[in-house]
């Protein structure tokens, strides 16, 4: 099916964090005359405009985490507990980034209790029926959302370097379907999100088991076919296996919506220029917008 709508769902958190740490390593926080650090927002805009130039979307939506606690913390209090507080120079840039996105007439979407991932999953399900959707993120978890009309564009190091995934290319690379990725994460856990999965089972074993048995249910139904070591590990961590699957699955029923009309990509250049000048973005015409 060919569609004219090209909708880009942007992971605002991923872009902002990536941009911040790219310059924070050298203490380059770009503090303006009002004492406001702007390095993360400046870099985020550069990532955003580079992606827009590359993918030429007709519609753009930016999704955000709304606070650090989500339904996953209710399920597992240690979820993401290994992450420290955001650096002082980054904290004021969260709201600032949303202001700047708003000045570009791009909707900011988020829901308390859910992550940006859940919002992007919900919107991709909403839009994919009659539009081509590009999910723009740094998070491999989003690969579970791949569908015939949904691509995932992963940010690589630098600007304009992407790994673009489609349903078919993911299967060729991993040997499993995008939907099976939830079970993969449940088995091997996720150290960055701080849930263990089944202790002692890594990606290689998890992939092998899923290629043979398709799902966690398939593995459990055929547990007598597993090696003694694999069987013991799974039986010992059975509760955590089921819990890890709930944590790994992107929740595509968040209470968010954004009409195509609101998401239509149209920049008021005067409004954008005023905002960029107000924040004292240097050389933004050349470095961000590319004019």
């Amino acid at each position: 099916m060919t569609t004219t709508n090209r909708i880009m769902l942007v992971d605002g958190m991923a872009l902002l964090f990536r941009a911040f740490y790219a310059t924070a390593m050298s203490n380059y926080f770009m503090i303006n005359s009002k004492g406001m650090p702007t390095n993360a927002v400046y870099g985020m805009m550069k990532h955003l405009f580079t992606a827009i130039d590359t993918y030429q979307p007709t519609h753009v939506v930016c999704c955000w985490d709304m606070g650090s606690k989500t339904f996953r913390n209710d399920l597992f209090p240690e979820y993401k507990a290994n992450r420290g507080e955001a650096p002082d120079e980054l904290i004021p840039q969260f709201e600032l980034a949303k202001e700047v996105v708003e000045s570009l007439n791009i909707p900011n979407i988020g829901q308390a209790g859910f992550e940006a991932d859940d919002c992007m999953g919900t919107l991709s399900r909403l839009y994919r029926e009659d539009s081509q959707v590009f999910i723009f993120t740094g998070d491999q978890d989003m690969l579970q959302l791949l569908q015939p009309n949904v691509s995932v564009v992963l940010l690589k190091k630098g600007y304009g370097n992407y790994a673009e995934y489609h349903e078919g290319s993911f299967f060729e690379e991993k040997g499993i379907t995008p939907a099976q990725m939830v079970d993969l994460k449940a088995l091997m856990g996720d150290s960055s999100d701080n849930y263990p999965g089944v202790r002692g089972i890594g990606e290689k074993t998890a992939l092998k088991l899923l290629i043979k048995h398709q799902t966690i249910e398939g593995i459990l139904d055929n547990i007598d076919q597993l090696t003694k070591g694999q069987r013991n590990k799974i039986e010992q961590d059975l509760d955590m296996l089921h819990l890890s699957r709930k944590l790994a699955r992107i929740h595509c029923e968040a209470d968010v919506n954004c009409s195509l009309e609101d998401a239509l990509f149209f920049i008021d250049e005067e409004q954008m220029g005023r905002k960029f000048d107000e924040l004292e973005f240097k050389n933004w015409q050349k470095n961000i917008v590319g004019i």
Side-chain angles (χ1 to χ4, degrees):
M1 179 174 70
T2 54
T3 59
T4 49
N5 291 335
R6 293 169 62 82
I7 303 175
M8 182 177 280
L9 299 177
V10 177
D11 184 341
M13 305 305 289
L15 266 64
L16 198 64
F17 272 91
R18 184 172 290 253
F20 178 80
Y21 286 109
T23 51
M25 302 300 282
S26 50
N27 287 332
Y28 185 55
F29 297 116
M30 296 172 64
I31 294 166
N32 65 20
S33 64
K34 299 179 191 76
M36 172 67 82
T38 60
N39 63 320
V41 181
Y42 190 98
M44 179 190 175
M45 287 299 111
K46 193 168 173 181
H47 276 303
L48 183 63
F49 276 92
T50 305
I52 285 166
D53 190 47
T54 305
Y55 286 95
Q56 298 290 309
T58 54
H59 300 72
V60 182
V61 179
C62 194
C63 293
W64 299 92
D65 293 350
M66 304 294 279
S68 56
K69 293 280 181 277
T70 69
F71 74 92
R72 293 180 179 86
N73 299 100
D74 296 334
L75 290 170
F76 184 57
E78 287 84 38
Y79 181 73
K80 290 191 176 178
N82 54 338
R83 301 193 183 187
E85 291 293 309
D88 289 345
E89 294 86 358
L90 178 57
I91 290 167
Q93 296 191 66
F94 289 122
E95 284 311 310
L96 192 62
K98 290 177 195 169
E99 274 178 40
V100 175
V101 167
E102 203 176 301
S103 77
L104 304 174
N105 297 322
I106 294 172
N108 288 307
I109 298 290
Q111 189 194 355
F114 293 87
E115 295 179 42
D117 295 7
D118 303 310
C119 297
M120 287 187 282
T122 302
L123 292 175
S124 73
R125 182 175 280 187
L126 195 68
Y127 296 142
R128 72 183 186 214
E129 294 306 316
D130 48 17
S131 303
Q132 184 66 42
V133 180
F134 298 88
I135 295 171
F136 192 64
T137 181
D139 187 352
Q140 298 223 5
D141 290 356
M142 304 302 279
L143 295 170
Q144 65 184 265
L145 297 174
L146 289 166
Q147 292 274 343
N149 258 8
V150 180
S151 308
V152 173
V153 181
L154 293 176
L155 285 153
K156 308 279 275 183
K157 202 170 180 188
Y159 291 96
N161 300 319
Y162 311 119
E164 188 178 332
Y165 283 88
H166 308 275
E167 205 177 22
S169 65
F170 177 83
F171 184 80
E172 280 166 31
E173 185 179 313
K174 295 281 191 188
I176 58 172
T177 65
Q180 285 175 287
M181 193 169 167
V182 180
D183 287 8
L184 177 71
K185 296 286 298 289
L187 285 160
M188 61 183 272
D190 186 328
S191 57
S192 73
D193 285 342
N194 203 40
Y195 59 87
V198 177
R199 282 165 301 180
I201 288 193
E203 184 175 17
K204 202 171 158 187
T205 304
L207 276 171
K208 207 190 306 183
L209 291 172
L210 285 171
I211 288 166
K212 188 171 183 189
H213 301 292
Q214 302 302 311
T215 62
I216 285 169
E217 285 73 22
I219 293 167
L220 296 176
D221 287 346
N222 295 282
I223 201 153
D224 54 340
Q225 291 182 27
L226 273 51
T227 67
K228 192 180 173 195
Q230 290 167 352
R231 193 165 64 233
N232 287 345
K233 285 169 188 166
I234 288 171
E235 284 172 344
Q236 273 176 341
D237 273 341
L238 198 55
D239 288 348
M240 184 48 78
L241 173 63
H242 290 303
L243 177 57
S244 293
R245 179 155 61 168
K246 287 180 184 166
L247 298 172
R249 177 172 281 118
I250 290 170
H251 185 88
C252 293
E253 294 87 30
D255 189 18
V256 293
N257 202 339
C258 181
S259 71
L260 285 180
E261 196 183 351
D262 287 342
L264 194 64
F265 181 61
F266 171 74
I267 286 179
D268 178 331
E269 290 185 5
E270 268 184 52
Q271 185 173 285
M272 173 183 75
R274 277 198 305 275
K275 193 66 185 173
F276 286 3
D277 288 340
E278 177 199 319
L279 294 173
E280 300 167 25
F281 281 176
K282 292 188 176 71
N283 302 323
W284 62 262
Q285 288 94 337
K286 179 165 156 275
N287 290 342
I288 294 178
V289 185
I291 53 174

